[in-house]
Amino acid sequence: IDKAKEVELTEAKLSFFTNISHEFRTPLTLIIAPLKELLDNEDLPPKLYKNLRYIDKNTNRLLELTNQLLDFRKANHGLLSLEVFHGNFVRFAEEVYLYFQEAARAKEISYEFHAEEEEILFPFDRNKMEIVLCNLLSNAMKYTPQGGSIAMTVNQKDDECIVIVKDTGIGMQPA
């Protein structure tokens, strides 16, 4: 009986998150459209344009996170699949790294990206890897004190792509 109640509670939580995710998507979508229209205006002052680009980037990120919540629901029902393609992982990782550049600047954190090669062609699922890299960088940002440092490195060893995130935060306990 306890197991059945636990399963029922878990299902209720997942339904709640799915419903909330759908509710977040609508206003985010409604924000993105006029924001794109504003960004198309060539007469904007540079500072305003920069701030609008920052809002645009983060609004799109919120929409992606909302979609990821919906994907989580699919994964629990075995309906989620990988969408793997060969791409330049260095360029992709640097794009994700740039999501956190403003946050690093605001916390006065030295924030660096390194890659031994300009191109590492590697098969990966962009959406799933974005979740992984954002999680790593978000936690590094969260736990690195003001004035600290975070460095993200992407390298290739044989046929493997290696991502390293180092920071001066509190660290993780050994498993």
Side-chain angles (χ1 to χ4, degrees), residues 85-93 118-122 124:
F85 78 103
H86 277 69
N88 182 352
F89 196 83
V90 174
R91 182 174 38 202
F92 166 75
E118 287 184 29
E119 183 175 82
I120 297 175
L121 296 178
F122 195 76
F124 63 99

Side-chain angles (χ1 to χ4, degrees), residues 6 8 10 27-28 33-34 41 49 62 68 76 87 102 110 113 126-127 130-131 139 144 151 160:
E6 187 176 320
E8 186 179 326
T10 300
L28 286 171
N41 182 347
Y49 180 80
L62 280 172
Q68 289 169 11
N76 271 4
E102 282 297 318
S110 170
F113 180 85
R126 286 184 62 88
N127 291 331
E130 183 174 4
I131 293 168
N139 284 331
T144 298
E160 295 179 351

Side-chain angles (χ1 to χ4, degrees), residues 57-133:
K57 184 171 30 170
N58 284 291
T59 304
N60 283 305
R61 180 74 184 122
L62 280 172
L63 184 59
E64 289 170 20
L65 289 170
T66 302
N67 290 334
Q68 289 169 11
L69 282 172
L70 295 171
D71 285 347
F72 178 76
R73 177 71 168 168
K74 289 178 189 175
N76 271 4
H77 289 345
L79 302 173
L80 189 62
S81 60
L82 290 177
E83 296 177 24
V84 177
F85 78 103
H86 277 69
N88 182 352
F89 196 83
V90 174
R91 182 174 38 202
F92 166 75
E94 190 169 16
E95 287 173 14
V96 175
Y97 158 86
L98 291 173
Y99 292 166
F100 297 89
Q101 199 165 32
E102 282 297 318
R105 191 177 352 264
K107 279 185 79 174
E108 299 175 351
I109 290 175
S110 170
Y111 190 58
E112 299 175 5
F113 180 85
H114 306 283
E116 290 179 5
E117 302 172 39
E118 287 184 29
E119 183 175 82
I120 297 175
L121 296 178
F122 195 76
F124 63 99
D125 181 316
R126 286 184 62 88
N127 291 331
K128 307 305 180 293
M129 285 308 301
E130 183 174 4
I131 293 168
V132 171
L133 296 180

